[in-house]
Amino acid sequence: MHFSSLGACARRLALVFLACGLAPRAGAAPLHVHFDNGIDATIHRPEDLLASSIVRNGSAARLVVDSGLQYDLVTSAGDPVLPNHGDGAFHPMSVEAVAAAIGAIRLTNADLQVEVFVLPYPRRSILDSSAREGMVFLSPGVREVSDYAVHFTITHEVGHVYQYRWMSDRDAPLWHDYATRRGIADTRTYAAAGVHKNRPHEIFAEDFRYLFGGTRANYSGSIENEDLALPGDVEGLEAFVRGLCEMRATGVVARLTAAPNPFNPSTEIRVDFEAAPALPATVRVFDAQGREVRHLYAQTPGSRLLRLAWDGRAETGTPVASGVYFARLDYANRTFSAKMLLVR
């Protein structure tokens, strides 16, 4: 790993901090680390957040990330909003353990930027650790937080960031593939509004932790949803999740386009391969909900250019309704998609 924001002497000092468990002085800049797994992390220490990002108004305190992102904080472990008051104090997670856990993630081309806030106090509206696009917020414990718990938590939350980066909620075909492969396609059970362990985002983050986390992140040998198969037992799941970043980070092997777009009544889906294809390719059309609409192609292309017409009809021959559709190419363990708009 590389400490990109530090000078040579400071880099050596930072390595000593990580090795010996010593905390850098208060008021220092955030810790910037580039890991060999392709993750760039900016880690905000709790003492620095207290000095620069937490605004107090009497007994009230607020974390101000920017003008559009602010959180009220719980500053007393005795606050009735907390379900457990522990030993009466807050214990922030170890910055050194956070860095070690991120470095232990077993990927090679994650191409991920993560900003980690090691909070001195929990957020009033979100008591637990959580993530959003590019950011992770780590809540303190009401007792000392073990290194195992730190590794478990940060790896799970990085899994969320990875998903936001490489499989956004707008990518219906990829989510459909993941849900089908994972056995969670029944939206009556597995939905964002369902119980925590049945939410697809949480299942994905647990899969990420289990498949790619270090030894300490996987000390339990289990995942949150005990009703699901362990990720390592699901055929093709590790390759699918790993491939989300690798198919983009290791170079483009094919380009997928559709023209005209918007279209009515038909469009041409074009696949341009970077080299003469030597493997089977599959091209399908999905609707915005991730349901397969039409199977267009499944064989090894004979040339670097593949042109396929879609007439706006389903597999049954019935014309489909106006709306957003996705052309999807599966090739060489990678997935590519192109958005299409049908306007009747």
Side-chain angles (χ1 to χ4, degrees), residues 32 34 55 101 107 118 131 135 140 147-148 151 188 224 239 262 266 271 277 283 296 320 336:
H32 299 283
H34 175 74
V55 178
L107 288 170
V118 183
M135 296 181 181
D147 278 3
Y148 289 96
H151 280 243
R188 294 170 299 179
E224 179 187 9
S266 64
V271 183
V283 180
L296 293 177
V320 299
F336 307 85

Side-chain angles (χ1 to χ4, degrees), residues 72-185:
D72 290 330
L73 302 174
V74 179
T75 58
S76 170
D79 194 300
V81 74
L82 298 174
N84 185 345
H85 304 298
D87 63 11
F90 290 122
H91 301 275
M93 294 190 185
S94 160
V95 171
E96 291 75 25
V98 169
I102 296 173
I105 292 173
R106 292 175 287 107
L107 288 170
T108 55
N109 293 296
D111 189 18
L112 205 61
Q113 290 76 47
V114 184
E115 190 170 11
V116 181
F117 297 81
V118 183
L119 301 176
Y121 305 122
R123 293 162 294 165
R124 185 168 292 276
S125 58
I126 309 173
L127 294 175
D128 294 328
S129 299
S130 67
R132 52 187 294 154
E133 291 193 18
M135 296 181 181
V136 171
F137 297 89
L138 297 176
S139 293
V142 291
R143 293 185 175 85
E144 292 286 348
V145 184
S146 71
D147 278 3
Y148 289 96
V150 174
H151 280 243
F152 183 104
T153 303
I154 184 62
T155 307
H156 175 100
E157 301 304 339
V158 169
H160 282 302
V161 176
Y162 181 89
Q163 176 259 301
Y164 295 139
R165 171 82 166 98
W166 295 119
M167 194 170 76
S168 76
D169 292 349
R170 297 183 300 274
D171 202 331
L174 274 181
W175 271 107
H176 178 269
D177 193 349
Y178 171 72
T180 301
R181 189 184 303 273
R182 194 62 177 96
I184 58 171

Side-chain angles (χ1 to χ4, degrees), residues 181-182 207 210-211 221 228-238:
R181 189 184 303 273
R182 194 62 177 96
D207 286 346
Y210 186 98
L211 292 170
L228 295 176
L230 290 175
D233 295 334
V234 179
E235 183 178 358
L237 181 62
E238 179 174 351

